[in-house]
Amino acid sequence: MSDGPALAELAMINDLQRMQVISQNLANVSTNGYRADLATTVLFQPQLLQAQSDLIAAPQDTLTPRIQTVTSQLDGTIRFTGNPLDVALEGEAFFAIETPEGEAYSRDGAFQLNAAGSLINATGFPVLGTSGMLRISTSTPRIDKQGNLFENEQFVGQLKLVRFANPELLVKTGGGYFVPIEGQMAQATEDTEEATVRQSYLENSNVQMSTEVVKMMELQQHFRASGNLIRAYDNILNTAIGTIAEF
């Protein structure tokens, strides 16, 4: 395929990838603590320099700007729920959750108690404290800004809050959970200025619906324009072939 149509085709493939990211964001606009994904383009120049350093003729599709996905770590807005077991975080920190695959991290603080008195999240996985699983005997504990839990003003445990030096490198595993890439360790959050716990609040998704809808409309127009380019080139090629055939 000639350069023009090939580039238009790759542009359409990129558009479809961006659309998948937008669709995922819109599907989670009401998910507590959800972090929006951002589709970004890998710059052309680094790819070209890499190809030159390898002393090879890089394939055309390799040198075409590619899409990569990063996660926005901006805080979502918080809303008051009145439920004492709902907890929101403000700042760079995550709740620690014990999942079947190991410890994972989440911003969703919609907690509840199970029959054994353990604090669990909406999926039913244990919410971890600084000393392990948290057990309380009341559904109306007091939780201060540092994540300390009290029953009748008696200290019963503290939420395990963790932060990462490079939160943008966290990997989504589904269900609103994150895990660090290999070599990145979770650090306990001790500085109250870095993370504040808000009892009876929940964090909203940081997805901006209006922004995502505008992106979707722009993508539709770009996808249509790329398709028109391919059709126009095809018509020109057919005309040229027909003209040559007359001779």
Side-chain angles (χ1 to χ4, degrees), residues 70-130:
V70 297
T71 301
S72 168
Q73 293 296 341
L74 294 175
D75 286 2
T77 58
I78 62 173
R79 69 182 187 277
F80 179 73
T81 65
N83 182 350
L85 292 180
D86 284 343
V87 183
L89 288 176
E90 294 179 316
E92 294 183 2
F94 294 84
F95 300 111
I97 308 297
E98 185 64 39
T99 74
E101 289 74 34
E103 188 169 310
Y105 306 97
S106 172
R107 293 281 296 198
D108 185 357
F111 300 148
Q112 53 191 292
L113 292 180
N114 64 13
S118 296
L119 193 66
I120 59 175
N121 68 358
T123 313
F125 297 147
V127 179
L128 294 177
T130 54

Side-chain angles (χ1 to χ4, degrees), residues 136-153:
I136 55 179
S137 59
T138 176
S139 61
T140 56
R142 181 172 70 86
I143 306 176
D144 67 15
K145 292 182 179 181
Q146 290 74 47
N148 296 306
L149 281 72
F150 300 88
E151 290 183 358
N152 299 321
E153 297 308 312

Side-chain angles (χ1 to χ4, degrees), residues 28 49 92 119 195 208 243:
N28 287 279
L49 292 176
E92 294 183 2
L119 193 66
Q208 298 293 324
T243 301

